[in-house]
Amino acid sequence: MKKIETFIQKQKAYFQKGETKKISFRIHQLKRLKEGVLNYEEEILEALKKDLNKSEFEAYMTEIGMVLQEINYTIKNLKAWAKPEKVKSPMVHFPVQSFLYKEPYGQVLILSPWNYPFQLCISPLVGAIAAGNCVTIKPSELAPNTSKVIAKILNNLYPVSYVAVVQGGVEVSQKLLEKKWDYIFYTGSTRVGHLVMEAAAKNLTPITLELGGKSPCIVDEEACIDLAAKRIIWGKLFNAGQTCVAPDYILVHQSVKDQLVESMKKYIFQFYGEGININFPRIINEGHFKRLQGLMKNGRVLVGGHYDEDKLQISPTIIDQISIEEPIMKEEIFGPLLPIMTYEQWDEVKDLIENKGKPLAVYYFSENEENQRRALQQLSFGGGCMNDTILQVSTPYLPFGGV
Ligand code: NAD
């Protein structure tokens, strides 16, 4: 742990030199990062295959492609973002001029999770570099192959006095959190989010917490059912449901439930076939695999329910006859299980969602604009879509996060 102390001191000294504040320096480093990602594309894809059995297509689209898009967008806009902003002054101050100046925090700590282990580590790095900070990254120990490639790329690109990668498990995260940072960016579970906030509070360190939760998918009686089914299955089964904004459960109007189940079944078979598809992403580890098996014990399996313990794969599974008291409705599922519950009146939907706390995302399927407006006015959630899933996180023009 002496090593951690040493590079923290080095970063402090480097930041104070002021080099990282220059816009030209930041743009140059972002261009090098892009080059690094492109040079190691093959290795990143291989690592994601080993860690999560991600297919090349999925890994490129949701990890490498998103990172490259983020870098390009940032390089294009950085000068404008960093410029001092002229603001109005009160009449009585005449002839004063007022400006907002943007400055980097200093030393930033990034702790990232295993589910999109490349993208969720590098995207915050892009922001931190763009803003002129020195950065320490702790990738997830649960995706060890990707963590190794990340370390290799960044160690080749940057000195530790600027960007350092620390590998290791929970004890390493804890050691890092004992140090004083100027900003902490954490992505992961709500449980650990509490610990990160507690550690940051000791030094009044500002933080970003990107946490998880249960994101509902509502299908009302005026939805286009076939389209809803297709888009729910598409969004749910990315990374085998191990996505923070994946539809977690379905609330469907009683009158269209059977039709929705039939259509979802059709799309599951069309996209992945029956049983277990060898290209379907796996569950990250045995602990999570067992946890998901436990969640399948309640309710009735309508579709799927197959698993392969050796390969840690679970087939897409739809479950009904679930009550809100069961474990599957109490915790974030984070796997390819999709419970489906019915409702008759809108108030039932509103009450259930309100009781669970503000979700990260809500997906609402309806062709009725009045119903859509009602959902927007009455539900509080971080982001979401009308008649689609997940798309809100793949645009740089919308913010991301909870409420
Ligand atoms: P996790 O909290 O277990 O781990 C994330 C990081 O925290 C890792 O680097 C890990 O080493 C560290 N960590 C773990 N336990 C720790 C402890 N006791 N003290 C200090 N550090 C600790 O999260 P995870 O399981 O890797 O990720 C899954 C969760 O992340 C899900 O809840 C998911 O919804 C959420 N998530 C959120 C977003 C988002 O952007 N909102 C994106 C992806 C995942």
Side-chain angles (χ1 to χ4, degrees):
M1 295 305 147
K2 192 164 167 276
K3 226 169 109 196
I4 293 182
E5 197 47 56
T6 316
F7 75 71
I8 287 179
Q9 288 313 324
K10 280 188 183 164
Q11 289 198 345
K12 193 172 197 157
Y14 189 58
F15 182 72
Q16 278 165 357
K17 278 189 183 166
E19 188 73 3
T20 65
K21 289 189 182 174
K22 295 178 190 153
I23 306 296
S24 55
F25 174 89
R26 304 185 208 175
I27 291 178
H28 178 61
Q29 301 309 336
L30 288 172
K31 286 185 176 161
R32 294 183 66 227
L33 181 60
K34 181 175 167 183
E35 229 174 83
V37 174
L38 291 172
N39 287 343
Y40 283 89
E41 200 176 296
E42 281 304 308
E43 279 188 50
I44 301 166
L45 291 172
E46 265 169 43
L48 290 166
K49 181 80 188 165
K50 283 188 193 150
D51 286 333
L52 284 145
N53 197 36
K54 287 196 191 194
S55 67
E56 272 194 19
F57 172 74
E58 183 169 335
Y60 190 87
M61 183 164 105
T62 61
E63 305 245 21
I64 298 175
M66 280 182 85
V67 162
L68 292 174
Q69 184 190 16
E70 179 107 4
I71 297 175
N72 288 338
Y73 183 73
T74 305
I75 290 174
K76 195 166 149 216
N77 290 286
L78 185 53
K79 277 190 188 147
W81 291 338
K83 243 184 18 207
E85 218 176 288
K86 192 168 180 204
V87 294
K88 286 184 184 168
S89 303
M91 204 54 156
V92 286
H93 291 183
F94 184 81
V96 156
Q97 291 191 338
S98 310
F99 297 90
L100 283 174
Y101 285 86
K102 287 113 192 229
E103 61 166 37
Y105 280 100
Q107 285 178 270
V108 171
L109 173 66
I110 296 172
L111 296 172
S112 58
W114 52 263
N115 61 333
Y116 291 87
F118 185 74
Q119 194 248 114
L120 292 175
C121 183
I122 304 297
S123 288
L125 172 68
V126 173
I129 289 179
N133 298 287
C134 289
V135 193
T136 297
I137 295 178
K138 217 294 280 158
S140 177
E141 66 279 16
L142 299 187
N145 296 291
T146 313
S147 294
K148 260 187 229 149
V149 182
I150 289 171
K152 193 166 158 188
I153 301 173
L154 299 180
N155 289 340
N156 278 339
L157 287 176
Y158 308 119
V160 291
S161 55
Y162 178 41
V163 176
V165 182
V166 187
Q167 294 190 77
V170 173
E171 20 12 282
V172 174
S173 300
Q174 287 165 339
K175 284 278 170 233
L176 287 167
L177 286 170
E178 282 167 15
K179 306 289 174 197
K180 185 177 179 332
W181 303 94
D182 298 308
Y183 200 95
I184 300 175
F185 192 109
Y186 171 79
T187 308
S189 66
T190 306
R191 181 185 66 82
V192 179
H194 282 110
L195 302 173
V196 173
M197 194 159 188
E198 203 179 311
K202 289 194 181 123
N203 295 308
L204 296 180
T205 302
I207 51 175
T208 294
L209 296 178
E210 289 289 359
L211 309 177
K214 286 186 89 59
S215 300
C217 209
I218 306 153
V219 182
D220 82 10
E221 66 278 31
E222 293 185 60
C224 175
I225 300 299
D226 196 64
L227 192 70
K230 188 176 187 180
R231 292 180 174 175
I232 292 169
I233 292 306
W234 175 80
K236 171 73 182 180
L237 295 176
F238 264 119
N239 202 18
Q242 300 168 111
T243 304
C244 58
V245 289
D248 187 277
Y249 61 99
I250 297 179
L251 292 170
V252 58
H253 193 271
Q254 175 74 46
S255 60
V256 289
K257 179 196 164 191
D258 292 344
Q259 207 188 334
L260 182 71
V261 170
E262 273 317 301
S263 290
M264 289 198 295
K265 197 170 169 178
K266 177 181 84 183
Y267 286 112
I268 288 174
F269 292 167
Q270 199 179 100
F271 296 163
Y272 302 99
E274 275 190 63
I276 294 177
N277 183 317
I278 50 161
N279 289 318
F280 194 55
R282 71 171 172 86
I283 307 305
I284 186 70
N285 62 19
E286 213 183 313
H288 279 287
F289 182 82
K290 292 251 151 73
R291 177 183 65 78
L292 289 165
Q293 276 189 318
L295 296 183
M296 283 161 77
K297 287 197 179 118
N298 300 102
R300 175 179 62 158
V301 171
L302 291 177
V303 183
H306 312 282
Y307 53 83
D308 181 329
E309 208 151 349
D310 296 331
K311 294 198 176 113
L312 296 183
Q313 283 179 304
I314 299 178
S315 68
T317 299
I318 300 175
I319 305 173
D320 79 343
Q321 294 181 3
I322 288 289
S323 93
I324 52 166
E325 296 309 322
E326 274 147 19
I328 200 165
M329 285 304 293
K330 292 254 182 226
E331 61 180 79
E332 181 183 13
I333 296 171
F334 227 55
L337 316 180
L338 188 53
I340 179 163
M341 294 192 295
T342 57
Y343 71 91
E344 282 176 29
Q345 302 294 333
W346 165 251
D347 283 349
E348 297 168 49
V349 173
K350 189 170 166 263
D351 291 349
L352 195 151
I353 293 174
E354 261 173 14
N355 283 336
K356 295 208 156 299
K358 301 178 180 202
L360 194 54
V362 164
Y363 306 109
Y364 191 83
F365 287 86
S366 180
E367 295 299 307
N368 181 320
E369 286 184 15
E370 202 42 54
N371 290 359
Q372 293 183 358
R373 254 195 300 278
R374 181 181 60 187
L376 284 175
Q377 276 165 2
Q378 296 189 15
L379 301 177
S380 178
F381 53 97
C385 301
M386 287 294 165
N387 293 321
D388 218 321
T389 61
I390 297 217
L391 285 188
Q392 79 277 13
V393 297
S394 62
T395 163
Y397 306 107
L398 285 172
F400 176 59
V403 169

